[in-house]
Amino acid sequence: MSEVILEARGLERRFVTASPVFGEPTVVHAVSGVDLAVRQGETFAIVGESGCGKSTLARVLTRLIPASGGSVSYAGRDLSGLRPAEIRALRREVQFIFQDPFSSLNPRMTVGALIEEPLRTHKIGTKAERRARVAELLQRVGLPVQAATRYPHEFSGGQRQRIGIARALASGPKVVVGDEPVSALDVSIQAQVVNLLAELKEELGLTLVVIAHDLAVIRHMADRVAVMYLGEIVEQAPAHALFAAPRHPYTEALVWAIPLPDPGARRAQSRVAGELPNPTAPPSGCRFHPRCPYAIARCSAERPVLSAPDAEGRQVACHRAGELTLDGLASVQSARSDAARARFDLYRQAREAEATPD
C-alpha cells in the first residue's frame, strides 16, 4: 500500500458573517470534523452536492485558506504552523486547478507569462530555461507553442483549462488538487480534460485530488472516493466498490442521479426529498436524516461517526449501514432499462391499435 502524502484529521472550517444591526453574527459550518488520507500516486475524489463544502475543503487542504480547527499534514509535516515563506515553498509541491477557466487567468498577461509565473516565483531556472519549460508544457497539454504569445480571451473554455493545468504543472508538483476542473466546460470538452489529467498523472507520477458534484465525471478516473454531505464525510470507499454497492443512503441517491447513455431512459427520480439544509443551523443527529428515506428515531438524536476501515478500506457514517441493502449502478441501469422497455411496449401497442381497422 502506498504511503499517505496528504492527510486531514478533525478538520474544521467555519465562516462568521458580519453582525447584523440587531442580533448575533451567523456562523457557517462549511467543514466539520473531516478525516481523510490521500495516498501517494492515487486519484482521490471528493464528491457531493453543490454547497456541501467540497471547495472549502480543497482550499483548506492546500492552505489557500486556514483551518478553524483540526490539522492538515503533507508528507508527514503539519501545515498548521507554517510561516509565509514555508507556505510559498509548499506551493511548489502542492498546486491547484481552479474551477472557472475564465476568471482564474489574468486577462492582462500572455499565456506564456501565466505559465512562467510559478517558475519566476520559485526562482526555477534561467530565463531561457523557463521559456523552454513553457513551450514543453504547452505541448504536453495539447496546445501549440505559439499560444505563449497570445492572451486568455483568444482561447475557448477547454483551451483555457488546459492553460490552467499547464500553469499548475510548471513548478513540478507532487500533488495537484482540481476544484471541479471540468464543471464549467461543455460535455464533449469535459472528456478531453479528464483524459488529459489521467494521462498526465501516469506520465508524471502525480497524486490527484479531484472535487466534483457529478459522479459520472470521476467514475472511471478515481481510485478512491469520499462522499461529502453538509461539511462531513459520510462514506469513503474504493471507486469500484462504492459504485457497485453504496452503503450510505446519500451515496445511493448520488448514484441514482448519474445520467446513463440510454436514449430511451429518463433521468431518475431523486431518492431524497427537500433541499440541502442551511449550514448555519445543521440538523441534529445525522445531518442527512431530514432527507433520508431510511431514517429512524436514532438518526435524529445521535450523530453517526465514520467507521474504521474494513478489509476493503470502506468507511461509512450511518447507524443503519449494517442492515440496509442499497442499490448500486448495476441496479440503476437495470431499473432504467426496464422502465424504458415498458414505455416502448406501451408506444408499440398504441401504434398497433391505431393501425388495426375497426
Side-chain angles (χ1 to χ4, degrees):
M1 183 180 294
S2 301
E3 65 182 55
V4 172
I5 190 169
L6 188 64
E7 186 174 21
R9 287 285 172 258
L11 201 59
E12 304 269 349
R13 177 61 197 189
R14 299 178 293 275
F15 296 97
V16 181
T17 63
S19 177
V21 177
F22 301 102
E24 298 294 327
T26 301
V27 179
V28 178
H29 302 270
V31 177
S32 302
V34 165
D35 293 339
L36 58 82
V38 181
R39 299 170 190 150
Q40 188 169 355
E42 75 173 344
T43 299
F44 186 90
I46 302 171
V47 301
E49 289 173 279
S50 296
C52 72
K54 307 182 303 296
S55 295
T56 299
L57 175 58
R59 283 163 169 75
V60 175
L61 287 174
T62 53
R63 278 302 304 268
L64 291 178
I65 57 175
S68 302
S71 65
V72 178
S73 60
Y74 168 72
R77 183 185 184 190
D78 190 349
L79 305 183
S80 57
L82 294 186
R83 297 187 297 272
E86 293 173 317
I87 293 176
R88 282 195 299 273
L90 172 71
R91 297 277 178 263
R92 181 170 180 173
E93 297 193 18
V94 181
Q95 278 289 324
F96 204 91
I97 301 172
F98 292 91
Q99 177 178 0
D100 188 355
F102 298 93
S103 64
S104 61
L105 301 177
N106 188 334
R108 298 185 178 183
M109 297 175 67
T110 64
V111 168
L114 285 165
I115 298 173
E116 188 182 348
E117 187 175 27
L119 301 174
R120 294 195 307 271
T121 299
H122 296 292
K123 299 180 173 60
I124 301 173
T126 64
K127 189 173 183 179
E129 288 171 340
R130 291 197 295 268
R131 287 181 177 175
R133 175 68 170 160
V134 168
E136 175 200 342
L137 288 166
L138 285 170
Q139 291 178 315
R140 190 178 284 275
V141 299
L143 293 173
V145 174
Q146 294 78 7
T149 61
R150 297 163 64 186
Y151 288 86
H153 73 270
E154 301 178 60
F155 296 88
S156 67
Q159 290 172 323
R160 292 189 204 191
Q161 197 60 292
R162 290 172 184 265
I163 294 168
I165 293 170
R167 180 178 61 179
L169 297 177
S171 62
K174 295 180 180 177
V175 177
V176 174
V177 178
D179 181 14
E180 306 232 24
V182 299
S183 66
L185 307 177
D186 293 338
V187 174
S188 59
I189 307 301
Q190 285 183 5
Q192 296 176 17
V193 175
V194 167
N195 290 336
L196 174 63
L197 287 171
E199 291 168 6
L200 291 171
K201 172 186 175 289
E202 295 301 321
E203 291 175 11
L204 304 176
L206 299 172
T207 300
L208 288 182
V209 180
V210 180
I211 310 298
H213 67 270
D214 184 355
L215 267 71
V217 171
I218 54 86
R219 177 182 163 198
H220 298 294
M221 109 183 253
D223 299 306
R224 289 192 302 134
V225 180
V227 180
M228 194 169 185
Y229 183 79
L230 205 62
E232 298 180 338
I233 301 295
V234 297
E235 184 169 4
Q236 287 191 57
H240 65 88
L242 183 134
F243 285 102
R247 293 185 181 172
H248 195 282
Y250 180 60
T251 309
E252 180 190 49
L254 292 179
V255 170
W256 268 84
I258 297 175
L260 296 177
D262 180 355
R266 296 177 181 175
R267 189 173 181 83
Q269 288 286 336
S270 174
R271 291 203 159 190
V272 299
E275 302 292 333
L276 197 71
N278 189 337
T280 63
S284 61
C286 173
R287 294 186 175 184
F288 186 59
H289 87 264
R291 305 174 68 192
C292 180
Y294 309 105
I296 56 177
R298 181 185 178 190
C299 300
S300 61
E302 182 183 339
R303 181 180 179 183
V305 297
L306 203 63
S307 63
D310 64 11
E312 278 188 302
R314 302 185 64 142
Q315 297 175 270
V316 62
C318 178
H319 295 308
R320 304 191 64 191
E323 60 184 88
L324 294 176
T325 301
L326 304 179
D327 287 330
L329 195 56
S331 298
V332 175
Q333 291 171 325
S334 176
R336 293 194 203 173
S337 296
D338 290 345
R341 191 177 302 109
R343 287 194 298 274
F344 176 79
D345 289 342
L346 287 172
Y347 174 76
R348 178 178 51 78
Q349 291 167 11
R351 291 295 300 271
E352 289 175 352
E354 290 174 1
T356 302
D358 294 334

